[in-house]
């Protein structure tokens, strides 16, 4: 059975929402761009190559610290 245009749109929206929730719970940047070497347990210490412009201070925090802030 073929999907209608509406069904595809709903599926894409649901997928984006799930990815957004996953990024928030993983403590990652919500836009999906990795700017520093931070992991979930360790704070970031450097700016990754190909990153242009200013890097927000929150990007250097460890993922668990970002998650705690978002849940608070």
């Amino acid at each position: 059975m073929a999907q209608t245009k509406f069904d595809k749109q709903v599926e894409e929206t649901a997928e984006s929402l799930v990815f957004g929730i996953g990024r928030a719970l993983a403590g990652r940047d919500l836009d999906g761009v990795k700017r520093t070497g931070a992991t979930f347990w360790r704070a970031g210490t450097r700016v990754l190559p190909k990153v242009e412009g200013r890097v927000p201070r929150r990007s250097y925090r460890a993922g668990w610290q970002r998650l705690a802030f978002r849940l608070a």
Side-chain angles (χ1 to χ4, degrees), residues 51-64:
V51 174
E52 296 180 13
R54 190 168 171 262
V55 177
R57 185 178 286 174
R58 67 182 172 270
S59 293
Y60 289 100
R61 298 221 180 263
W64 69 268

Side-chain angles (χ1 to χ4, degrees), residues 8-72:
K8 288 180 184 179
Q9 186 178 16
V10 168
E11 186 175 312
E12 290 173 3
T13 303
E15 183 179 355
S16 296
L17 181 65
V18 168
F19 279 125
I21 291 170
R23 282 188 193 115
L25 293 178
R28 296 184 184 165
D29 289 325
L30 294 179
D31 61 0
V33 177
K34 189 169 179 144
R35 294 179 178 85
T36 64
T39 63
F40 189 79
W41 297 111
R42 291 183 340 175
T45 57
R46 68 187 190 281
V47 176
L48 296 176
K50 299 182 183 179
V51 174
E52 296 180 13
R54 190 168 171 262
V55 177
R57 185 178 286 174
R58 67 182 172 270
S59 293
Y60 289 100
R61 298 221 180 263
W64 69 268
Q65 292 171 326
R66 287 186 249 175
L67 176 61
F69 180 78
R70 289 174 186 162
L71 292 177

